Amino acid sequence: MSWVMQRRIVAHEGAVRDLLAALRARLRALGETEETCGTVEIVIAEALNNIVEHAYGGTGGEIALDMARETGGLCCILRDRGHPLPGLRLPEGTAPPAVTPRESLPEGGFGWFLIRALTERLDYARADGENRLTLHFGPGTGPDLRR
Amino acid sequence: MKLELSDHDTLRIVTVPEARIDAAVALRFKEAMRMATEGGPDHVVLDLGQVRFVDSSGLGAIVAAMKQMGAGRRLDLAGLTPDVAKVFRLTRMDTVFVIHADAAAPLPRAAG
């Protein structure tokens, strides 16, 4: 295993944007495909947004990102000291409805669906007041559309 | 957020001159879209050719922009870049909107 990137940011939208840009640049420099860069960026963006909005409720706090490359692919650990996930459980992230009248189209709730659709495995743990979300990406070939 | 408007007969093209429609700007985008489409042509095409990234907040804001236009009006999308197209495809929101390759596609051809 080798570290790709280790950063600490304040849970704020501007800092999230900067971190995503740095992450993308780092992955590109390491020779990852645009497909992989895009997959990683959307997943990490969604996970970071959840921490900013829900774990910290928009009040700020620190987020730690540690990304490594394992034999199976990229692996990212996000840690924060905000509120735990409800029920200490990863949300299902069910797929948005396929056919629905325009008025009832959902305007949100796609975040966990996208995270699950684009990762191979997710782990969540909480200990000593810290949330720890581990995201395992598959072997850089894009999203697993069977999910 | 400043959006660029151009009207062509019965069609309005709204161009987003930003690289990202994400959590940081989703609400401002939705409000800007409301102002850009209020009282205008029924058929609007949202040109996303300059947008490199849309997250679930941005996607929700685009859906909301369509819903706030109301019945009988239509919001198409144009110029989806690869990462944006991926998000629409995964969430199946690409079946909800008519998607054009670019903003020029829906315009009527000039008579030769």
Side-chain angles (χ1 to χ4, degrees), chain A residues 102, chain B residues 33 44 46 62 65-66 69 73-77 97:
Chain A
R102 172 202 272 205
Chain B
M33 280 298 287
V44 176
L46 182 62
I62 293 169
M66 184 204 19
M69 281 173 63
R73 302 181 70 206
R74 171 178 158 185
L75 181 67
D76 298 352
L77 307 179
F97 297 89

Side-chain angles (χ1 to χ4, degrees), chain A residues 8-25:
Chain A
R8 307 287 175 267
I9 64 162
V10 179
H12 178 268
E13 285 149 0
V16 167
R17 276 189 170 191
D18 290 345
L19 177 54
L20 292 172
L23 178 58
R24 189 148 191 156

Side-chain angles (χ1 to χ4, degrees), chain A residues 68-75 120 136-141:
Chain A
R69 190 189 263 129
E70 309 172 306
T71 37
L74 293 165
C75 171
E120 200 139 281
H136 297 271
F137 294 90
T141 52

Side-chain angles (χ1 to χ4, degrees), chain B residues 55-72:
Chain B
D55 63 12
S56 62
S57 303
L59 178 58
I62 293 169
V63 170
M66 184 204 19
K67 288 163 73 175
Q68 71 192 359
M69 281 173 63

Side-chain angles (χ1 to χ4, degrees), chain A residues 31-54:
Chain A
E32 297 287 352
T33 63
E34 281 305 297
E35 176 78 44
T36 295
C37 290
T39 291
V40 171
E41 184 174 6
I42 190 64
V43 168
I44 302 302
E46 296 297 340
L48 288 173
N49 287 344
N50 286 336
I51 296 172
V52 171
E53 290 161 38
H54 302 295

